[in-house]
Amino acid sequence: MSRFAESHVEEAGLEWFKGLGYAIEHGPDLLISERGDDYGRVVLIDRLRSALSRLNPRLPSTAIDEAVRKLTIPESATPLANNQAMHRLLVDGVPVECQRADGSTAGEVVQVFDFNDPGANEFLAVNQFTVSENKHERRPDIVVFVNGLPLAVIELKNAADEKADVWKAFSQLQTYKLQIPSLFAWNAILIASDGLTGRIGTLTADRERFMPWRTIEGETLAPKVLTELQIIIEGVFEKSRFLQLLRHFIVFEDDGSGNVVKKLAGYHQFHAVNLALASTLQATKKTGDRRAGVVWHTQGSGKSLTMAFYAGRVILEPAMQNPTIVVITDRNDLDDQLFGTFSRCQSLLRQQPAQAESREHLRELLKTASGGVVFTTVQKFFKTEDEVKFPVLSDRRNIVVMADEAHRSQYDFIDGYAVQMRDALPQASFIGFTGTPIEKADANTRAVFGDYVSVYDIERAVQDGATVPIYYESRLAKLKLDESKRPTLDEEFEEATEGEEADHKEKLKTKWAALEALVGAEERINLVAADLVAHWEKRLEAMDGKAMIVCMSRRICVDLYNALVKLRPAWHSDDDAAGAVKIVMTGSASDPLEWQPHIRSKPRREELAKRFKKASDPFKIVIVRDMWLTGFDAPCLHTMYADKPMRGHGLMQAIARVNRVFKDKPGGLIVDYLGLAHELKQALATYTESGGHGKTAIDQEEAIEAFLKHFEICEQFFHGFDRSKWIGGTAAEKLSVLPAAQEHVLQQQDGKQRFVKAVSDLSKAFALAVPSDAALEKTGDVAFFQGVSAVLAKSTAEGKPDPGAVDHAIRQIVSQAVSSDEVIDIFAAAGLKKPDISVLSDEFLAEVKGMPQKNLAVEMLKKLLQGEIKQRSRKNVVQARSFADLLEKSLTKYQNRAIETAAVIEEMISLAKDLKKAQDRGEQLGLTEDEVAFYDALEVNDSAIQVLGDAQLKVIAQELVKSVRANLTIDWTIRENVRANLRVIIKRILRKYGYPPDKAEKATATVLEQAEALSRTWTAQD
């Protein structure tokens, strides 16, 4: 029975492309015919030139030639800059100069694709497309070409191989980017898959931003019986969808620290924008009701970018006839944040957006005859004193008003500013974008926008890995305050925004003032500060990241800051570029003197935002009143301390600050000092009433329960094992416990695999449960489990660790318990020096044999032998296979408990000695290492040895090395014509020396396989 291999995954992928109408080619077949026998040439130039001529029939050949030159010779200094420049040419066309009949020159644009008629383009999927660059030769599994340009690279792994998962494919793509960057100048999409699991990303996407694609047609999730690879290929590469993604759904954005990030829409954004466009076209018709609908995508899932993609799509839609887009928010800081996102997406909008600086400026901007993207707060739609009604600024129907967080009461669409906006733009259509649902009772919002056109809820966002779950912990009981001093919230309580607090002095006489006095009482502030410091320091031990403290007033922000730095003076710094804790708030010169150090200009606040978003920056804690609570993304933020009354949409938006994906962050935590449980329940009721699935915030008790469950699983592995020295011993004593602990796990059925998985689950649960008492009292045990897992994992790790997997947010507490090193060396833990297999001494083998931990001895020998056999397989296939078979037989007997552990150790030590002897065979035979490899390939056949003898086999081996090496070319392993020629040469040599004819076919195949193993070494030497 043939085994399932990576090539089967590749074949399946090509079948799905064929079903989409793509032409299929085998990479080696294109080398001579289309690449000029040059592995460095990655564009299929004849196909490109043919497509450009076909799509631009009125342009002369000189214009086509110039376009081909510009498209095939990247001119930027870095691969990403090349990719960004090429993307603009692919989407907008290539500017060229043409000579007119009168001899003068004129500018023209050569279109690279026909976006309106996908069938006019040529779509091609090529497998095994070898690229050679800077002495590196790489062969991606599938490269997708459109009109001769390589737009997508797909790397595949074997679904049946547990070690070859989707992240191995992801790592392979990272290698390609470094070693063959020329292939990626035109790249739009990268795909990594093991056949079952599939992930899609861009040139700059890190591991957490390689996301699933879960739909084929529309928003309906694809059936679970389909593999993720099939869903990605059929969902993304259907011709019209692929061209849409390329044209409308890719953006290059500065991440705030000067790094450019290439972003691709997720499936939920892609389909939401297309549905919103369709409803907008309907709404703006003469018969339309001007209600384009509401897009509800949960916070953290890329709503701002979805809005930018939508605006770009509407602007380029011919039926909209160069529309005007008006983006409204209800707060200046939100206006700034959203304007910043759109400004960074100018390439999508094909223009620079404008931000209304004043009411007068807004009126000027909206009097335009066509076009434009205008940002404003709703408050700027304000009548002058002598106006009875707001004047009409434009009665065009192709004006679209995009409202951010459309349900906000501040918009007041019945008799507030928004009414005046509708007076100003009487024919405009309205579309709402929101991260939280619209309440069923909110008829006003529905009257203006209509119903949902797209919903992407918490449950789906968490499943997709677009966000992480949020947990909730109440710390009220930890604040030992008299009942009379405890603040309580009631239904009538009204929130005050930061601006209102400053502007409306009458607030000081309200319930708000009474509550603020209780919340900000000195005794309470000191209690909160002390609890918060202890809580945060424990959180930080378990998981690296940042915290946000939300206070009720600016006075409380300052007082809490002072209380914190009194407890931890090292957290303070007067310098914006230093210090662990800062307040971010607005203010003026009239504010109290002690507030002034915390009142910063907008540029200074922006610099602080950059610091806070940078995970490695020591700025760990920010204190806010209501800045940064909406539209602010800091993925490394995982804990929010809430000490401010919040409810409804405001509460939902605030807590979503901690739901961003970051490395292996398992979730965010809301720590409640004020008693917001009721408000959270109300928010959840609104959420589920609106049809949303998933929990807005999960009680931390659930995290603690999960931790205890995983802890119990790990505990069961060590039933009857004494680990007291770990808990109370010195570092040396702790280290000495590990070999026996490993032995204990290894004695159990599948012990190692099950235990490593159990500890991984436990570590995530621990990070979420800290600093509950239940978690803290088991810290020493968790450290022990992590320590044993670390050495067990190391005993099986092959090759170098995946750098993407090593970079964790979850901290291994074992590193503080035992050593500063992240991974404990298994040999050191067992009291042995780490050996080098090439000089594996009898003394070392005797030491291993004498170890009391026999199962650990097996693991160590297994690791050493597997490593050496893997090395040998690169040079001598037959020898490596023989040793691998012997090792596998020994291990199978060991795993099935069919043989005593001591006997397995004897077998493995004998194998190690034979491996060592095998290295010296070349000297004994008088052959080079390469010649020995071919000698072994011939010697496999017993009858050949009897007929020809050693001396003749040596001569054949020497001639084979000489002839095969002379006839190798790059990529020969997958070029059938070269392989066929090599077969002829090998058979001729075997026939020449009288090799048994009945065995020649098998010997030829083995020699070819051996040549393939050695070819990389030979190519590098040549």
Side-chain angles (χ1 to χ4, degrees), residues 655-720:
I655 67 174
R657 296 314 101 203
V658 299
N659 78 347
R660 295 342 190 230
V661 173
F662 176 69
K663 297 180 183 175
D664 57 353
K665 168 178 150 184
L669 177 65
I670 305 301
V671 181
D672 175 16
Y673 283 118
L674 201 57
L676 298 173
H678 176 71
E679 280 69 22
L680 270 170
K681 281 178 188 167
Q682 289 291 103
L684 179 58
T686 299
Y687 180 82
T688 50
E689 192 180 50
S690 302
H693 295 93
K695 292 186 179 179
T696 51
I698 304 162
D699 194 312
Q700 208 205 8
E701 285 301 319
E702 290 188 35
I704 294 167
E705 280 175 31
F707 164 71
L708 292 174
K709 183 188 84 175
H710 290 299
F711 183 87
E712 194 177 324
I713 291 168
C714 292
E715 184 91 280
Q716 285 166 2
F717 278 90
F718 291 97
H719 179 70

Side-chain angles (χ1 to χ4, degrees), residues 281-330:
L281 292 174
Q282 190 63 39
T284 53
K285 284 180 179 175
K286 283 186 179 177
T287 54
D289 63 4
R290 295 182 287 120
R291 298 187 304 160
V294 176
V295 175
W296 166 25
H297 282 198
T298 196
Q299 301 105 319
S301 63
K303 175 170 65 75
S304 298
L305 210 50
T306 302
M307 293 175 74
F309 287 134
Y310 166 79
R313 196 88 171 79
V314 170
I315 286 165
L316 284 186
E317 173 55 49
M320 291 301 293
Q321 299 177 331
N322 194 14
T324 299
I325 307 288
V326 182
V327 185
I328 60 166
T329 61
D330 66 335

Side-chain angles (χ1 to χ4, degrees), residues 954-987:
K954 281 191 244 178
V955 174
I956 300 174
Q958 287 169 328
E959 187 164 337
L960 279 171
V961 169
K962 208 177 293 176
S963 299
V964 171
R965 186 164 184 172
N967 284 277
L968 288 190
T969 60
I970 290 177
D971 209 20
W972 71 273
T973 54
I974 55 167
R975 288 179 62 193
E976 199 45 54
N977 58 334
V978 180
R979 288 177 74 90
N981 185 42
L982 277 172
R983 276 195 207 95
V984 170
I985 292 167
I986 293 165
K987 285 178 179 175

Side-chain angles (χ1 to χ4, degrees), residues 532-553:
L532 194 151
V533 167
H535 187 280
W536 173 243
E537 288 177 339
K538 290 295 180 186
R539 289 280 293 163
L540 209 50
E541 282 177 18
M543 181 161 48
D544 192 18
K546 311 257 173 144
M548 178 182 280
I549 305 170
V550 187
C551 296
M552 184 176 174
S553 69

